[in-house]
Amino acid sequence: MIAEPIAKKQVECFHCGEDCVEELIRYDDKNFCCQGCKAVYELFLDTDLQEVYANRKVFRENSHKYEYLNNPGIESKLLDFQSESHNKVKLFLPAVHCSSCIYVLENLHRLEEGVIKVTLNFIKKEADIHYDPRRLSLEKVAELLASIGYPPKFSTESTEKKQSSTDHLSIKIGIAAFCFGNIMLLSFPEYLGFEDALDEVFGRFFSWINILLAIPVVLYSGRDYFISAWKGLAKKFINIDVPIALGILVLFSRSSYEVLSHTGPGYFDSLAGLVFFLLIGKWFQSKTYQSLSFERDYRSYFPLAVLKETGNGPVSTPIQDLVPGDTIMIRNEEIIPADAILLNGEAKIDYSFVTGEADAVTVLPNEVVYAGGRQMGERLTLKLTRKSSHSYLTGLWNNQVFKTERQGYSELLVNKISKHFTLVVISLATIAALYWLFYDKAEAWQVFTAVLIVACPCALALSAPFTNGNSLRILGRNKFYLKKANIAEYLAAIDTLVFDKTGTITEAGKGRAHYRGEALEEWEKAVVAQMTSNSIHPLSKKIHSLYQQEKEVGLDRFTEKTGKGLHANYEGHQVRLGSGRWLGVGSHDGVDGRVYLEIDGNLKGCFEISSHYREGLRDLVAKLKKNVDLFVLSGDNDKEREDLKKIFGPQVEMRFEQSPEDKLKFIEKLRNEGRKVMMLGDGLNDAGALKQSDVGIAVTDDIAAFSPACDGILLGDELDRLYDFIQYTKKAKRIIIASFMISFAYNLVGVTLAVCAMLTPIAAAILMPVSSISVVIFTTLSGNLQARRQKLL
């Protein structure tokens, strides 16, 4: 059965029920608004997805339209990632229409074997498409999408679609304003009490004109409320637009009845004013929210940096300062900030952040290395070919691989209230209208509409996002960077805090390494220097400082084993540098906690590392102990137990010789006891524990050590302010509660006035957005005031 386009007219889609003025699809004697709805309908008939698009008429028509995508230069600019077996491209698909489109596009791999997976951002209409270039070219991907009704738009002008949305809203406001003004003008005789003096023919004529003016207000300016309400009801869900749509419909119906039955002039001025002020409120809200775009601030403050080669040696440089042509150094487990050319050595790049595949890709000199890859081996030298992107890299931090989908506590409360809010409002409006029908029929319709409009959970729903968003922005300014806004609520709720030792409460840049053992030859020193330069571990940096003047040598092989140490091959020699447990010398000289050096199976000596605890640690611990339970975990032995007791006190439990797995299991045990656990680690040997905790924070002195498993990143210099940060989130939680109370009070007062016929629908329409905006302003100003009191701003 072949589906053919039908003429452009307003038709209801058989599947989703949406009215849409588009080139609709006629299939099986039914109308569909898009290929996605038709495809889902076919699936409901137990038709295989492959057969849904058996006839690809559009595919043949567009067979040469995308031929230009075969140009390697154009293709390389469009692709986010490219390899022999896996390419990734982000495409804008303006034809994406409804939830059915999501289903069809994300099942595209069933239609075409060359497609690996598709992830669709429905709001932005953007699809991340992963495909196998051995089976499918970018041209064929574009043709495939066009063949099923989703032709991609290759344009970097992302503002076009946003501008279109803004223009539509402006036109709706303009039409509502025009009609509202003219309806009021024609209603002046009634306002001034001259309706009895007005000729009956003119009165009816004015009333009919009012009906004609009200029709575009309802059908065009107010259509979004009806569409949203219908979609909710189709899904058996009563959303906030249901009472608004119902109020508009009741006012129009009642007013039309009065005019047609010659019993009154109706309430067309109230109707037009209601829609006009609702749209003005929507516009003003959007402007307010845009001016407080915390997500944008968060991305711009994200502090990723890498080592850039300069005439005076490598210098840590923020990625926003990098430009094409710069030469950078990437060490083991560091993220590559932008597309680049490999200048030397052989790279082993883990692209799992980009593609979701764990296998490392080998890259040879003069080949392209893509942004988002993680180096798994010795240090690389790269030359950038593109400018780095904060949004792309922070997107990796929010990759589905590292997400633990959880809602904030206030968000859960709002969702519970919202489920019943609209139903309660409709019930109250109905009861109030029935009451007034017996006392004053003219007031009944106004009361019914006013109650429906004034009651609004929007202020309630906005309290937490804007308070937490403001917290995220303020903490970011103080070099404490949270992944998501609702992490602030979890931070406020913690009752247990677990410290890792090395690199967390000790400072990587201070403390010294001393070598004890057999004298090392020059080549041995050079190999140790090269091995430690490849690692971002705090102990590696201290050992590297001893031999950083040694000449560079090329290692035949290099690996870093998490929680154990470094292993390298050099001209036939096997060199290992790591913990005594890994090398089997844990009881050497009766002392452990050192970093041992083994060459060709022979123990050469060890590096004794003196720890330097961070400034202000003692005062921080004293403050934290008043509110939370503290624990200390360490991969070293207990030689520093007594020093730590002086800081933490004898009552704090400390566990030593903890492997990464041991740390993870300990966090899991605490959470199973019902504790709200925060873990502070360096993000290197404790990534699993950070992810397992309620709040996992990576404390780092080197922002190049990007740790997607954590919920936040705290610069080491700011660790002594952690207590203040936690206290601020607790105050922010109180602000959320206060804004909830304001929202409840607004609804209580507003509904009471509306029920008592003391509030017109127009006044209700003005108050509804004002309530939301007032809550947003309250949460923002209160958060800023509290931050100033704590000297965070």
Side-chain angles (χ1 to χ4, degrees):
M1 192 177 297
I2 300 174
E4 295 291 345
I6 63 176
K8 291 187 176 181
K9 59 181 179 178
Q10 187 163 316
V11 180
E12 181 180 287
C13 175
F14 178 78
H15 176 68
C16 69
E18 181 168 338
D19 287 337
C20 187
V21 182
E22 297 287 349
E23 187 173 336
L24 304 181
I25 303 298
R26 181 84 175 166
Y27 180 79
D28 197 19
D29 294 327
K30 297 175 179 63
N31 300 318
F32 298 92
C33 62
C34 61
Q35 292 282 4
C37 285
K38 184 180 77 67
V40 175
Y41 169 74
E42 285 283 327
L43 289 175
F44 289 155
L45 295 178
D46 296 323
T47 303
D48 188 81
L49 189 64
Q50 183 74 30
E51 297 176 1
V52 174
Y53 306 110
N55 182 280
R56 297 190 182 177
K57 181 178 178 181
V58 184
F59 186 90
R60 294 193 297 271
E61 292 175 353
N62 291 284
S63 59
H64 300 293
K65 181 178 179 180
Y66 301 103
E67 195 170 2
Y68 68 93
L69 295 176
N70 288 327
N71 184 302
I74 295 175
E75 183 183 37
S76 63
K77 289 182 179 180
L78 293 172
L79 293 176
D80 290 331
F81 174 76
Q82 186 176 17
S83 71
E84 183 181 340
S85 60
H86 195 127
N87 286 4
K88 177 189 173 187
V89 63
K90 183 186 291 290
L91 297 178
F92 174 50
L93 307 178
V96 167
H97 182 73
C98 60
S99 58
S100 301
C101 302
I102 300 175
Y103 178 86
V104 171
L105 288 168
E106 294 195 347
N107 282 278
L108 202 61
H109 59 278
R110 294 173 57 189
L111 175 62
E112 175 58 59
E113 292 184 356
V115 176
I116 297 171
K117 68 174 179 179
V118 177
T119 304
L120 181 67
N121 184 322
F122 180 73
I123 302 299
K124 295 182 177 180
K125 298 187 177 183
E126 291 177 341
D128 285 322
I129 300 175
H130 300 250
Y131 65 95
D132 187 343
R134 297 171 299 185
R135 298 184 176 185
L136 211 58
S137 66
L138 182 57
E139 178 196 10
K140 296 300 181 184
V141 170
E143 289 177 351
L144 172 64
L145 291 167
S147 74
I148 60 174
Y150 303 98
K153 182 176 181 182
F154 294 93
S155 172
T156 57
E157 298 176 2
S158 59
T159 56
E160 290 181 5
K161 58 181 182 288
K162 296 178 183 178
Q163 188 64 42
S164 175
S165 175
T166 304
D167 289 344
H168 282 306
L169 180 59
S170 299
I171 293 171
K172 288 174 182 177
I173 292 174
I175 289 175
F178 173 81
C179 296
F180 178 38
N182 282 279
I183 290 173
M184 288 185 66
L185 182 64
L186 295 173
S187 302
F188 256 91
E190 298 167 35
Y191 298 156
L192 300 176
F194 296 157
E195 64 270 22
D196 294 334
L198 187 67
D199 185 86
E200 184 178 351
V201 175
F202 277 107
R204 290 182 182 178
F205 177 69
F206 289 165
S207 296
W208 277 101
I209 292 179
N210 283 344
I211 289 181
L212 293 176
L213 288 170
I215 289 174
V217 173
V218 174
L219 297 183
Y220 180 70
S221 296
R223 71 188 297 265
D224 288 344
Y225 297 107
F226 290 102
I227 290 173
S228 176
W230 175 252
K231 284 183 177 179
L233 293 173
K235 299 291 183 182
K236 299 181 180 180
F237 175 73
I238 303 177
N239 58 31
I240 186 59
D241 287 328
V242 170
I244 295 176
L246 188 58
I248 294 172
L249 190 62
V250 166
L251 271 182
F252 181 76
S253 301
R254 176 62 187 178
S255 300
S256 299
Y257 168 77
E258 289 192 5
V259 170
L260 294 173
S261 62
H262 309 300
T263 56
Y267 310 94
F268 291 112
D269 52 347
S270 295
L271 171 63
L274 169 64
V275 175
F276 172 69
F277 284 111
L278 283 174
L279 294 175
I280 286 290
K282 182 186 289 187
W283 175 84
F284 191 58
Q285 278 179 314
S286 68
K287 293 298 182 183
T288 304
Y289 303 160
Q290 287 172 16
S291 67
L292 298 172
S293 178
F294 303 119
E295 184 69 15
R296 181 185 63 236
D297 291 340
Y298 151 59
R299 294 190 188 283
S300 64
Y301 285 124
F302 188 75
L304 192 60
V306 295
L307 293 177
K308 174 184 172 182
E309 283 282 13
T310 65
N312 299 319
V315 177
S316 182
T317 305
I319 67 167
Q320 63 265 29
D321 295 337
L322 299 175
V323 296
D326 283 346
T327 301
I328 62 172
M329 293 168 50
I330 298 294
R331 295 165 291 184
N332 184 49
E333 295 194 7
E334 284 188 335
I335 293 288
I336 296 160
D339 294 355
I341 298 293
L342 177 63
L343 297 182
N344 69 325
E346 181 179 286
K348 295 287 186 183
I349 308 297
D350 173 12
Y351 284 117
S352 59
F353 297 164
V354 182
T355 66
E357 297 176 357
D359 295 337
V361 176
T362 301
V363 180
L364 300 176
N366 298 319
E367 291 185 347
V368 177
V369 182
Y370 291 93
R374 184 196 282 268
Q375 164 62 353
M376 304 301 292
E378 62 181 307
R379 186 179 57 186
L380 302 177
T381 304
L382 305 173
K383 184 176 182 179
L384 299 184
T385 58
R386 281 189 184 179
K387 190 169 177 59
S388 58
S389 169
H390 270 95
S391 60
Y392 183 78
L393 293 171
T394 49
L396 295 177
W397 198 13
N398 286 286
N399 191 302
Q400 193 69 34
V401 175
F402 305 103
K403 283 184 180 178
T404 51
E405 291 300 332
R406 52 186 180 181
Q407 294 177 307
Y409 303 116
S410 58
E411 191 176 352
L412 291 170
L413 175 62
V414 169
N415 287 344
K416 289 180 181 178
I417 295 172
S418 298
K419 286 181 180 179
H420 309 289
F421 186 91
T422 306
L423 195 59
V424 171
V425 169
I426 294 174
S427 301
L428 283 174
T430 303
I431 293 171
L434 290 173
Y435 171 84
W436 280 98
L437 278 174
F438 292 100
Y439 289 90
D440 188 343
K441 291 183 179 181
E443 290 286 0
W445 307 107
Q446 297 265 29
V447 168
F448 181 76
T449 305
V451 173
L452 291 176
I453 301 302
V454 77
C456 178
C458 296
L460 187 68
L462 292 172
S463 299
F466 273 86
T467 305
N468 292 333
N470 198 34
S471 299
L472 182 148
R473 178 181 64 87
I474 290 169
L475 294 175
R477 286 190 175 184
N478 289 273
K479 301 179 181 180
F480 185 19
Y481 309 91
L482 299 182
K483 179 190 289 189
K484 296 174 67 176
N486 65 2
I487 299 297
E489 284 191 66
Y490 284 86
L491 190 61
I494 64 163
D495 55 29
T496 303
L497 200 156
V498 180
F499 286 93
D500 181 44
K501 185 179 78 70
T502 305
T504 304
I505 61 177
T506 61
E507 196 165 353
K510 297 182 180 179
R512 303 187 64 180
H514 302 276
Y515 176 72
R516 287 182 55 190
E518 298 179 21
L520 300 180
E521 297 180 27
E522 291 303 314
W523 73 267
E524 293 172 328
K525 293 178 182 179
V527 169
V528 171
Q530 189 66 37
M531 291 172 66
T532 52
S533 71
N534 293 335
S535 173
I536 55 178
H537 194 280
L539 298 183
S540 295
K541 295 177 182 178
K542 292 179 181 179
I543 295 172
H544 180 72
S545 66
L546 289 177
Y547 304 122
Q548 58 186 349
Q549 302 302 324
E550 298 293 330
K551 67 176 183 180
E552 290 192 14
V553 295
L555 303 178
D556 300 323
R557 182 171 171 268
F558 173 85
T559 57
E560 182 168 0
K561 298 183 180 295
T562 303
K564 296 179 180 180
L566 312 177
H567 182 204
N569 293 355
Y570 174 72
E571 295 184 352
H573 297 284
Q574 299 283 332
V575 183
R576 294 200 296 170
L577 183 68
S579 67
R581 178 189 293 182
W582 182 43
L583 299 180
V585 290
S587 59
H588 184 74
D589 285 347
V591 183
D592 208 346
R594 302 163 172 175
V595 178
Y596 291 90
L597 175 62
E598 178 191 275
I599 299 179
D600 294 330
N602 299 316
L603 184 67
K604 300 288 289 187
C606 66
F607 294 91
E608 294 183 340
I609 313 293
S610 61
S611 297
H612 184 279
Y613 297 112
R614 295 189 185 275
E615 297 293 334
L617 180 62
R618 191 185 300 271
D619 292 338
L620 172 65
V621 169
K623 293 176 183 177
L624 290 172
K625 286 168 66 175
K626 298 176 183 178
N627 301 310
V628 298
D629 295 328
L630 302 181
F631 296 87
V632 177
L633 302 180
S634 174
D636 299 334
N637 78 331
D638 63 352
K639 70 172 186 177
E640 295 185 46
R641 183 186 292 273
E642 294 305 316
D643 292 334
L644 291 171
K645 279 185 178 180
K646 294 176 183 178
I647 297 174
F648 286 88
Q651 73 278 14
V652 172
E653 182 179 344
M654 302 179 190
R655 298 193 175 202
F656 298 90
E657 298 186 12
Q658 298 289 294
S659 67
E661 292 78 14
D662 293 333
K663 295 176 183 178
L664 189 152
K665 290 178 180 178
F666 182 70
I667 297 296
E668 189 175 22
K669 172 180 172 292
L670 292 176
R671 292 192 66 193
N672 288 338
E673 293 173 359
R675 297 174 180 263
K676 305 298 182 184
V677 183
M678 176 179 176
M679 170 75 181
L680 289 173
D682 59 13
L684 301 176
N685 296 335
D686 46 25
L690 292 177
K691 188 176 180 181
Q692 182 63 38
S693 59
D694 291 285
V695 181
I697 304 298
V699 180
T700 179
D701 298 293
D702 184 356
I703 297 304
F706 184 82
S707 182
C710 64
D711 295 309
I713 297 175
L714 174 63
L715 292 199
D717 293 343
E718 304 299 325
L719 179 64
D720 60 324
R721 303 177 68 196
L722 179 63
Y723 176 79
D724 294 332
F725 297 150
I726 295 174
Q727 290 301 112
Y728 177 75
T729 60
K730 291 181 182 292
K731 299 290 185 183
K733 189 174 181 179
R734 294 180 185 177
I735 292 173
I736 293 175
I737 295 172
S739 62
F740 278 1
M741 294 175 66
I742 292 173
S743 179
F744 279 121
Y746 156 79
N747 279 284
L748 182 63
V749 172
V751 170
T752 300
L753 291 175
V755 167
C756 295
M758 299 172 65
L759 200 66
T760 65
I762 294 179
I766 295 172
L767 285 176
M768 191 181 78
V770 168
S771 70
S772 301
I773 293 167
S774 62
V775 165
V776 169
I777 293 174
F778 168 77
T779 57
T780 305
L781 293 181
S782 299
N784 289 347
L785 179 62
Q786 180 59 40
R788 288 190 177 93
R789 287 177 179 172
Q790 294 187 230
K791 298 180 179 179
L792 299 179
L793 279 181

